[in-house]
Amino acid sequence: MTQVLFDYTRQDASGASRIEHAWARVPLAPPPAERAALKARAKELLARHDAVLVAHYYVDGDLQDLALETGGCVADSLEMARFGRDHAARTLVVAGVRFMGETAKILSPAKRVLMPDLEATCSLDLGCPPDEFAAFCDAHPDRKVVVYANTSAAVKARADWMVTSSCALAIVRHLHEQGHKVLWAPDKHLGRYIQEQTGADMLMWNGACIVHDEFKGLELELLRKQHPQALVLVHPEPPQAVVAQADVVGSTSQLLKAVVDGQAREYIVATDNGMFHRMRQLAPGKTLIEAPTAGKSATCKSCAHCPWMAMNATQGLTACLETGSGEIHVPEPTRSQALGCIERMLAFVAANPSAIAQPQRGFVRNLGSA
Ligand code: 13P
Ligand code: SF4
C-alpha cells in the first residue's frame, strides 16, 4: 500500500533560491596551465596532511582523477561511506554533498572530515526538515523508519535504518518479509519504485531530487525509437515514466558496471551527467547518450547536473586543506543517535552481499569503489 500523507509544499520555493545560489558559487574552470598546477598542489597537500580524497561520480572530473591518482576512491554513497570508515588517513576530504560528509564524520568521529564547499547540499536533504520529520515519525510509531542516505544527521537520528540506492530494495524487502510496515523518506520516486518491487506497506514523505525529477518519459520514448539497440540505464530517483523504460535500474556504481559489462554498443543514461566522466574512462568504446531533461514538458531546472555537486572544485580542495575550512561537525548526541541506522545498513550489506548482488528487474551487482 502506498500512502502519500505528508505534502512538503515549501520544497520548490526554498529549493529554487538555493539552486541559483549554488550555481553562482560554482568556481570557473581554471586555464590549462593553472589547472595542472592546482592538481599538483592538491596532491602535495593531501600527502602533507595525511588526507585521502573520497569523491562521488557526479563531481568535477579533475577531482575524480585526483582521488584515483592519490589512493582515494570514486564511488557511490554506500562505497564512499565504507571507504572513509575503513581508511587509515587522519583526514577525509569528501568531494560530494553535505550528507556524504556527515555520514563520513558519523562513522569516523576521530577523523577530521573536510569538504571543498560546506554549502554543497541536496534537494532531498533540504526537503526533509528534522522537526517536521520528527512529527511525522511521532504520528506513526508502528512503522520502521527507513531513510535514504540523502538526509541530514538529525533526520538519521530518528531513523531505524539508513539505505542507499545500492541496498534500498534489499533492505525494504527484508523488512517487508519480517512483517514490518515502513515509514519512508524523503525521495517519493525511489520510495514508489521500492514499493512497486517489494509490495511493502510504505508511508511516503513527499521529496524529490531536482536533477533526476527533470528526466522526461515522453522524450525518452522518442529517443529510444532513434536508438532501438541502446540499453536504457536509470538511477531510481527519476519519475515512474522514466524508470518504467529502464533495462537497468541501479545506483551510480551499478549503472557504471552495467556500461562496463554490457554487450550493447549504445547506452541511454538517466542520471547526473557527471557520471559520464568515469563511464567514458572505463568503457571507451561505448556510445553514451544523455537521457532527455528538455522537451515540450520541460522546465529545465537542472539540465542533468546537480548544482551542489558542481560546487566541488580543485580550488576548494586545496583551500580546505590549506586553511582547514569546510570542516564537518556533527554534535553529540545527534552523531551517536544517527550512527545506529547507518551501522544497521552496513551490517546488513556485509551479511547479505548476495541480496544486493541479485538482479532485481534489472538491478546489477554493486561494483564497489570502481
Ligand atoms: P548513489 O548512491 O547511487 O551514488 O546516489 C547518490 C545520489 O545523490 C544520486 O543523486
Ligand atoms: Fe541530491 Fe539529486 Fe544532487 Fe543527488 S543529484 S545530491 S539526490 S540533488
Side-chain angles (χ1 to χ4, degrees):
M1 176 176 51
T2 305
Q3 298 165 287
V4 182
L5 293 188
F6 195 99
D7 186 10
Y8 183 56
T9 50
R10 288 179 304 163
Q11 186 183 330
D12 276 347
S14 62
S17 59
R18 288 170 196 253
I19 293 163
E20 285 162 17
H21 171 74
W23 279 123
R25 283 177 70 100
V26 174
L28 289 176
E34 205 181 304
R35 192 173 153 206
L38 262 171
K39 283 181 79 175
R41 177 100 186 110
K43 285 182 184 175
E44 183 201 319
L45 287 164
L46 283 165
R48 193 195 309 159
H49 291 276
D50 186 18
V52 68
L53 181 56
V54 185
H56 190 265
Y57 294 114
Y58 295 166
V59 300
D60 175 65
D62 278 355
L63 285 175
Q64 296 188 41
D65 295 348
L66 264 169
L68 295 174
E69 287 163 18
T70 54
C73 81
V74 182
D76 66 9
S77 312
L78 176 63
E79 294 304 328
M80 288 173 78
R82 290 203 283 208
F83 186 92
R85 177 198 61 181
D86 296 343
H87 202 280
R90 276 184 300 174
T91 295
L92 306 175
V93 184
V94 177
V97 292
R98 194 178 170 103
F99 77 83
M100 295 168 173
E102 286 186 348
T103 300
K105 186 68 184 177
I106 292 165
L107 285 167
S108 305
K111 293 176 190 166
R112 186 169 68 137
V113 178
L114 304 177
M115 296 194 68
D117 193 324
L118 210 49
E119 286 195 44
T121 183
C122 165
S123 64
L124 289 166
D125 187 346
L126 289 173
C128 192
D131 288 349
E132 289 165 55
F133 181 66
F136 189 39
C137 297
D138 288 345
H140 303 282
D142 56 324
R143 290 175 178 267
K144 287 282 176 201
V145 177
V146 183
V147 299
Y148 197 26
N150 304 35
T151 45
S152 63
V155 163
K156 290 186 179 85
R158 277 305 306 253
D160 299 305
W161 290 80
M162 179 186 107
V163 298
T164 75
S165 56
S166 286
C167 58
L169 200 54
I171 287 176
V172 173
R173 175 167 289 127
H174 165 75
L175 291 172
H176 179 49
E177 283 167 2
Q178 305 255 305
H180 295 296
K181 295 194 286 181
V182 169
L183 184 155
W184 166 263
D187 189 326
K188 63 182 174 187
H189 295 308
L190 177 56
R192 184 217 60 249
Y193 175 71
I194 296 168
Q195 201 279 329
E196 282 169 6
Q197 297 297 306
T198 61
D201 182 334
M202 295 172 74
L203 187 62
M204 313 270 190
W205 189 266
N206 187 26
C209 160
I210 53 115
V211 179
H212 290 87
D213 206 21
E214 291 295 296
F215 288 108
K216 303 288 182 285
L218 198 61
E219 284 74 15
L220 177 57
E221 268 179 45
L222 299 174
L223 186 65
R224 283 173 53 225
K225 288 198 175 109
Q226 290 166 29
H227 300 274
Q229 306 301 327
L231 277 187
V232 179
L233 313 182
V234 180
H235 198 275
E237 291 172 10
Q240 187 173 28
V242 175
V243 177
Q245 297 180 54
D247 295 299
V248 174
V249 183
S251 73
T252 49
S253 286
Q254 291 165 336
L255 299 186
L256 176 60
K257 179 164 174 55
V259 169
V260 172
D261 288 354
Q263 297 303 308
R265 289 191 50 78
E266 288 188 323
Y267 298 81
I268 298 173
V269 183
T271 195
D272 184 290
N273 60 24
M275 190 75 231
F276 284 72
H277 181 72
R278 198 76 188 115
M279 284 180 168
R280 287 195 186 102
Q281 286 178 336
L282 290 181
K286 310 269 173 77
T287 302
L288 306 175
I289 304 160
E290 278 189 38
T293 51
K296 289 201 172 65
S297 52
T299 53
C300 204
K301 279 184 290 202
S302 71
C303 297
H305 194 36
C306 176
W308 298 292
M309 289 283 186
M311 286 163 66
N312 290 270
T314 316
Q315 296 94 312
L317 168 62
T318 53
C320 76
L321 285 166
E322 271 162 351
T323 67
S325 62
E327 181 166 0
I328 291 275
H329 296 282
V330 182
E332 294 291 354
T334 304
R335 190 204 68 83
S336 38
Q337 285 164 357
L339 181 63
C341 72
I342 304 176
E343 285 190 325
R344 201 162 285 129
M345 172 192 77
L346 293 173
F348 179 90
V349 168
N352 298 279
S354 61
I356 291 161
Q358 247 169 36
Q360 301 284 349
R361 204 181 136 257
F363 263 73
V364 293
R365 193 176 67 80
N366 190 30
L367 187 65
S369 50

